[in-house]
Amino acid sequence: MTKWEYATVPLMIHATKQILDNWGEDGWELVQVVPGPEGNGLVAYFKREKA
């Protein structure tokens, strides 16, 4: 059975691409982007297979 680990990351509008690229380089797959708490900013959800 595949096991996963997850991460949530706040996204800053001025650096979104850089943030997503950095996490992707570390093997994380973007699952979803949703509004942050109380509608402030965005939060990215990532997953990757556990080693």
Side-chain angles (χ1 to χ4, degrees), residues 3-47:
K3 295 187 179 185
W4 302 97
E5 60 181 325
Y6 299 90
T8 56
V9 179
L11 295 177
M12 295 172 280
I13 298 302
H14 65 277
T16 302
K17 182 181 181 331
Q18 181 181 6
I19 293 167
L20 296 175
D21 285 347
N22 286 341
W23 282 82
E25 284 290 322
D26 288 340
W28 291 92
E29 177 182 355
L30 179 65
V31 176
Q32 186 173 16
V33 175
V34 298
E38 300 174 14
N40 296 330
L42 297 171
V43 176
Y45 286 79
F46 293 91
K47 73 174 186 178

